[in-house]
Amino acid sequence: MTSVLEPELGRSRKRKEDARLITGRTRWTDNLTPAGTLHLAILRSPVAHARITSIDTDAARRMSGVVAVLTGRDIADEQGSLPCAWPITEDMKAPAAPPMAVDTVRFAGDAIAVVAARSAAEARDALDAIDVDYDELPVVLDMEAALQPDSPLVHEDLGTNRNATWTFDSGEAGTGGDVEQALRSAEVRVDRTFRQQRLIPAFMEPRSVVVDPTGEQITVWSATQVPHILRLMLAMSLGVPEQKIRVIAPDVGGGFGGKLQVTPEEFIAFVLARKLGRPVKWTESRSETMVSAHHGRDQIQRLSLAATRDGKITGLKVELLADMGAYLRLVTPGIPILGAFMFNAIYKIPAYHFTCTNVFTNKTPTDAYRGAGRPEATFAIERMMDELAAELGMDPMELRRKNWIAHEEFPYDTVSGLTYDSGNYEAATDRAVELFGYQALREEQEERRRRGDPVQLGIGISTFTEMCGLAPSRVLGSLSYGAGGWEHAAIRVLPTGKVEVVTGSSPHGQGHETAWSQIVADRLGVPFEDVEVLHGDTQVSPKGLDTYGSRSLAVGGVAVVNAADKVVEKAKRIAAHMLECAEDDVEFAAGRFGVRGTDRGTALAEVALAAFAAHDLPDGVEPSLDAEATFDPENFSFPHGTHLCATEVDTETGQVKIRKYVCVDDIGTVVNPLIAEGQVHGGLAQGIAQALFEEAVYDESGTLTTGTLADYLVPSAADLPDFVTDRTETRATSNPLGVKGVGEAGTIASTPAVVNAIVDALRPMGVDDVEMPCSPQRVWRAVARARTMDAQGGTR
């Protein structure tokens, strides 16, 4: 008797990867040192804007162990310009972005010279011997100031600090009505301005790159989320034939969008390795990460919401300023544009207008950070829903129920032009309310308010959806994105019946090896342990578009499914030949091919061995059980959920404590609940961190004053509450697995839930906003301002 394997989909398996990852017994890029490697150290500008008048490297060249010292001018003709793959408008200003500054530095952290030495310590020591003279220039750090006619220019040759202005109008697009008319005729109008502070991804593993030019190919190892994109961009930007470049992303210790990049350091290392003819290696220090790896968020959001007196939304207008920093990186200008499609969130909004102006400043460039545009949009609309509820004297949950898309209305065409394929906001919300004890907490809140308790209770709501599984190539093309969104997979059934899965989706902590093994085990009826997943090497996995935007499962995982199905179809023909029956009579289940209506059959492993031997195959059948598939979905996937947060806010000290946090997410079919839970927990930590702890701060000269983890406050587990999590399930219709993304959900939803809770606690005192991060000092000052204005009888 053949034993029947337990189904893998929906099973909480521990990750295959964990044994090596959590013990450190793996191959991080920094663990790799080919024979003869030279170590690189990069000198960075301490000033935000200056002409480089001279660089004296003679003393550094004479130091022990130093092999070469090169400046930006030394490699100006070879280093190329860092690519930007997303020209969002035809007239977008895209300045040259040299990996090392040649004559002008434009942010504190700009690379200006590189030392190659026999050891990392010798390379770092030599940096101190390089003498640089600067002629400092005026800096511009404020987005609004940067757009003034008399502002200093980050790039003089552009004649402006405006990168681009991108607009969507539902009236012009035919997806809705006229916003200006909705605002003019509104019975109730709410206008607010919010600030999305600048954030630093703060991934666990610092960036690292090793380049070995000594073989037939130039091999690049990099701690990157995008090995395939990196290979293409190196080839296109530096004029090296693509087939002569091999990029390997070994195990990567986190990214959160911060390693979705083609970095200056990768270009510098590549150029130096070719120039010196030896392997080179660069690994950054944590302080380098803070000033030179790209930052995230940094927006000013101005919103106007129109509604009827009974709470029906009639229009939404959004005006953004988004800080690009000093240069455009890979997808910098497009990040705020992703949010354009999400400001309408889960609500039926009849008229919508969105405008975003991207601005250059003398700060570290920005780019994707977990959620990339979607958290910014969700924060703004969920804050506005609470503000509208306060204006109307309505319970904020009641207001949301009055405006959201009902489950029977799916698929639903939104005012921003998307089609939401599935969802059930009622079910997720009802479950969250039940777990939270919403009514009891409201009653406690009222009781505390009556007795004037100095520690007030606040209740915050965030109902969200997101567009993820970034993929539909035609949609990305319509937005002028520089690549498609498909993903590729291959499956090889070996002669022994074991299985190799090759995926173009490169993990950095998401658990691909485990989840993909579970998918294939179920699809092919083989043991989970018999599946090996290969990834992150452009020679092993030559086709792929990598990992970001919660696309791995919804796009890459479905490519794996399709490849597995092709294997079954190919094997079915061989099995029919072996069983001497018509192919139409062959059934496949639990790893066996059987003849319909009989007990005759053969196992997949037996078919694989027969295919390998090739002694008696049907005519025209190749001797292998290999198959490839590329999946390009027709639509995004749309996970959603309801997050509820209760905070206790000390009005005398400003201290905020999260007392209870409940989230119920709908991510479609769940492959591995344990992994999904981990992704939610990690996302919650980062979203709460934005609400309460993290902010990248510059002084008036453009120096990052939060350049260490002593100053940039990344929360630990001790700073976070226990989370109560649950799920509802509505299958996605855009893919055969019915899956939706989960990697960004917690980050997107949690920030407004926490801030809404804080404001809800303080609203009776006259506070209607606290700027993030809501530190004790900021909370205390908001309370003090409100009390002062009340005492003076002023208008808030």
Side-chain angles (χ1 to χ4, degrees), residues 52-382:
I52 302 171
T53 56
S54 68
I55 304 180
D56 186 348
T57 60
D58 289 345
R61 286 192 176 94
R62 292 194 296 269
M63 292 185 67
S64 173
V66 172
V67 173
V69 183
L70 297 168
T71 67
R73 185 163 297 282
D74 293 330
I75 60 171
D77 296 333
E78 305 164 63
Q79 68 174 339
S81 180
L82 293 164
C84 174
W86 201 340
I88 60 170
T89 64
E90 291 183 0
D91 62 349
M92 185 184 86
K93 305 292 186 183
M100 279 208 299
V102 176
D103 51 26
T104 304
V105 294
R106 292 185 169 88
F107 69 97
D110 223 346
I112 57 175
V114 59
V115 174
R118 285 191 289 267
S119 73
E122 288 170 321
R124 288 193 298 268
D125 288 345
L127 294 182
D128 293 334
I130 300 174
D131 187 19
V132 185
D133 285 331
Y134 300 96
D135 181 8
E136 294 197 35
L137 299 170
V139 299
V140 58
L141 304 170
D142 179 86
M143 285 183 275
E144 293 174 305
L147 294 175
Q148 296 304 310
D150 58 349
S151 171
L153 296 177
V154 179
H155 299 274
E156 289 186 357
D157 57 316
L158 299 183
T160 179
N161 289 321
R162 186 188 303 268
N163 161 251
T165 297
W166 191 93
T167 299
F168 177 88
D169 185 273
S170 64
E172 294 177 2
T175 58
D178 182 346
V179 165
E180 296 302 332
Q181 175 60 31
L183 291 171
R184 283 194 299 270
S185 61
E187 295 177 359
V188 178
R189 173 172 171 163
V190 177
D191 299 284
R192 293 288 187 273
T193 298
F194 304 120
R195 177 65 189 250
Q196 286 279 323
Q197 77 269 39
R198 179 173 279 246
L199 302 173
I200 299 174
F203 31 74
M204 185 178 293
E205 175 207 20
R207 296 175 301 155
S208 182
V209 59
V210 175
V211 182
D212 186 350
T214 59
E216 289 298 313
Q217 291 178 304
I218 303 171
T219 302
V220 180
W221 292 267
S222 183
T224 181
Q225 296 176 222
V226 289
H228 296 90
I229 293 172
L230 174 56
R231 180 194 192 203
L232 176 64
M233 292 303 176
L234 285 170
M236 292 178 67
S237 301
L238 299 178
V240 178
E242 187 178 356
Q243 76 276 13
K244 292 296 184 182
I245 303 173
R246 177 184 184 184
V247 175
I248 302 170
D251 283 324
V252 175
F256 315 124
K259 293 174 182 170
L260 196 180
Q261 199 52 263
V262 178
T263 69
E265 295 81 10
E266 287 163 336
F267 270 47
I268 292 167
F270 194 89
V271 169
L272 257 69
R274 295 183 72 204
K275 194 175 188 72
L276 301 175
R278 292 175 61 177
V280 302
K281 176 179 179 178
W282 172 81
T283 300
E284 68 184 346
S285 66
R286 181 60 65 182
S287 60
E288 277 186 288
T289 302
M290 307 298 270
V291 299
S292 64
H294 75 247
H295 294 173
R297 310 284 196 266
D298 207 345
Q299 293 181 4
I300 297 171
Q301 305 173 310
R302 296 187 179 92
L303 287 87
S304 298
L305 192 63
T308 62
R309 293 197 186 281
D310 65 353
K312 283 292 185 77
I313 300 171
T314 57
L316 173 65
K317 184 176 182 180
V318 179
E319 295 177 301
L320 299 187
L321 291 180
D323 195 336
M324 305 289 95
Y327 293 101
L328 302 180
R329 296 303 191 221
L330 191 63
V331 290
T332 302
I335 296 303
I337 306 310
L338 287 173
F341 303 97
M342 287 287 101
F343 275 90
N344 51 282
I346 68 170
Y347 306 115
K348 293 181 285 190
I349 299 178
Y352 172 56
H353 180 93
F354 172 94
T355 299
C356 178
T357 298
N358 292 341
V359 184
F360 290 114
T361 64
N362 292 114
K363 292 186 278 189
T364 300
T366 58
D367 209 302
Y369 176 60
R370 197 169 189 168
R374 281 77 49 83
E376 296 92 310
T378 300
F379 177 85
I381 187 61
E382 288 302 290

Side-chain angles (χ1 to χ4, degrees), residues 531-790:
V531 183
E532 192 76 18
V533 179
L534 309 176
H535 56 79
D537 182 338
T538 61
Q539 193 152 290
V540 173
S541 171
K543 301 176 185 176
L545 284 171
D546 306 316
T547 299
Y548 40 86
S550 298
R551 69 188 302 273
S552 289
L553 180 58
V555 189
V558 176
V560 170
V561 168
N562 292 348
D565 290 348
K566 286 184 178 182
V567 165
V568 171
E569 288 305 308
K570 186 174 184 180
K572 189 179 288 186
R573 186 175 178 188
I574 300 173
H577 186 74
M578 294 170 65
L579 296 169
E580 298 180 332
C581 68
E583 189 176 337
D584 289 345
D585 290 333
V586 175
E587 298 175 318
F588 179 73
R592 286 189 62 81
F593 296 91
V595 181
R596 186 178 291 108
T598 76
D599 60 0
R600 295 167 55 221
T602 185
L604 177 66
E606 295 170 314
V607 177
L609 186 59
F612 169 75
H615 294 161
D616 185 20
L617 294 178
D619 292 340
V621 172
E622 297 176 350
S624 73
L625 282 189
D626 299 349
E628 299 185 15
T630 299
F631 180 62
D632 193 351
E634 295 181 358
N635 196 4
F636 302 99
S637 73
F638 296 95
H640 67 82
T642 297
H643 289 224
L644 302 174
C645 177
T647 60
E648 293 182 330
V649 183
D650 190 326
T651 61
E652 296 177 344
T653 67
Q655 187 69 40
V656 175
K657 178 185 177 182
I658 297 178
R659 174 168 145 185
K660 189 170 187 178
Y661 196 100
V662 170
C663 65
V664 177
D665 292 304
D666 188 325
I667 57 173
T669 304
V670 177
V671 174
N672 185 316
L674 188 64
I675 290 177
E677 189 82 353
Q679 288 290 304
V680 170
H681 277 229
L684 292 175
Q686 287 185 279
I688 292 170
Q690 177 173 9
L692 295 179
F693 299 102
E694 297 186 23
E695 183 178 22
V697 178
Y698 286 84
D699 66 16
E700 65 280 357
S701 66
T703 299
L704 183 68
T705 62
T706 52
T708 73
L709 291 181
D711 307 296
Y712 185 84
L713 303 182
V714 176
S716 71
D719 299 306
L720 298 169
D722 290 334
F723 304 123
V724 178
T725 64
D726 202 357
R727 289 185 300 276
T728 55
E729 182 178 320
T730 53
R731 288 174 56 89
T733 63
S734 56
N735 63 77
L737 279 177
V739 296
K740 307 174 184 179
V742 67
E744 297 162 308
T747 302
I748 290 170
S750 56
T751 307
V754 174
V755 177
N756 276 340
I758 294 168
V759 175
D760 184 59
L762 302 177
R763 197 178 293 279
M765 306 177 72
V767 174
D768 63 9
D769 193 32
V770 179
E771 188 173 301
M772 295 187 292
C774 301
S775 63
Q777 184 181 64
R778 282 185 172 159
V779 172
W780 183 87
R781 284 181 173 174
V783 172
R785 279 196 302 271
R787 284 172 171 163
T788 299
M789 295 183 79
D790 273 346

Side-chain angles (χ1 to χ4, degrees), residues 22-37:
I22 65 178
T23 61
R25 295 177 180 177
T26 188
R27 279 164 46 103
W28 310 111
T29 302
D30 189 46
N31 291 348
L32 305 172
T33 308
T37 293

